[in-house]
């Protein structure tokens, strides 16, 4: 096991739909940590998502689950190796039922510094921002 790993816990309204969505992005389900309440989605060796049913998620905090489709409380940025990878991941998300959120001002700012990014929402409204930054040492 890696010395440090990140597990992002996300409340989901339909566990099977969410698993299928993330699998369509090319991410894998770790069956060792998956049951009827939760699914472990492996993004890479050090990053996993824990998709948790609403009932199970409420056991982690006394605070209510917010409406992720109406508000944003976090944006999950994922650095990728090329602009093409950003587009491929975003297109896979859209094909799997996600929606794209377009912010033309943000895209113009990113282009000025050599970045290419897009934003998509999963079926529960969780915001993902895959990006590529063309900075020295990446090519």
């Amino acid at each position: 096991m890696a010395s440090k790993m990140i597990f992002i816990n996300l409340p989901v309204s339909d566990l099977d739909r969410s698993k299928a969505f993330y699998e369509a992005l090319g991410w894998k389900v770790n069956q060792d940590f998956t049951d009827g309440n939760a699914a472990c989605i492996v993004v890479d060796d050090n990053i996993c998502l824990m998709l948790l049913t609403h009932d199970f998620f409420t056991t982690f905090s006394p605070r209510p689950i917010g409406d992720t489709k109406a508000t944003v409380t976090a944006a999950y940025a994922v650095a990728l190796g090329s602009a093409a990878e950003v587009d491929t991941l975003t297109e896979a998300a859209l094909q799997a039922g996600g929606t794209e959120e377009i912010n033309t001002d943000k895209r113009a700012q990113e282009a000025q510094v050599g970045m290419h990014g897009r934003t998509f929402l999963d079926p529960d409204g969780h915001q993902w921002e895959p990006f590529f930054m063309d900075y020295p040492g990446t090519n």
Side-chain angles (χ1 to χ4, degrees):
M1 181 188 259
S3 63
K4 291 187 175 143
M5 292 182 70
I6 295 173
F7 287 83
I8 300 171
N9 297 316
L10 300 176
V12 298
S13 59
D14 183 329
L15 187 59
D16 289 332
R17 177 189 68 189
S18 294
K19 286 191 306 188
F21 175 82
Y22 287 105
E23 286 180 299
L25 302 185
W27 300 347
K28 306 293 181 210
V29 174
N30 180 335
Q31 294 297 339
D32 293 335
F33 301 102
T34 297
D35 60 21
N37 291 314
C40 179
I41 305 295
V42 180
V43 177
D44 77 4
D45 290 342
N46 295 315
I47 303 171
C48 295
L49 308 179
M50 290 303 299
L51 307 178
L52 309 172
T53 64
H54 282 203
D55 285 344
F56 189 54
F57 190 88
T58 61
T59 67
F60 288 76
S61 174
R63 295 182 296 149
I65 296 170
D67 182 355
T68 56
K69 291 186 178 185
T71 62
V72 62
T73 58
Y76 309 106
V78 179
L80 299 175
S82 70
E85 287 182 51
V86 169
D87 292 338
T88 298
L89 182 65
T90 302
E91 293 304 320
L94 299 178
Q95 290 295 316
T99 56
E100 186 164 18
E101 195 168 83
I102 298 173
N103 180 334
T104 53
D105 291 335
K106 181 179 175 227
R107 284 192 179 175
Q109 291 171 347
E110 290 172 344
Q112 289 177 350
V113 296
M115 286 180 68
H116 174 70
R118 291 175 72 181
T119 300
F120 66 84
L121 308 178
D122 76 3
D124 286 285
H126 301 291
Q127 182 169 323
W128 289 92
E129 297 187 350
F131 72 95
F132 168 71
M133 180 181 279
D134 188 16
Y135 58 92
T138 63
N139 300 11

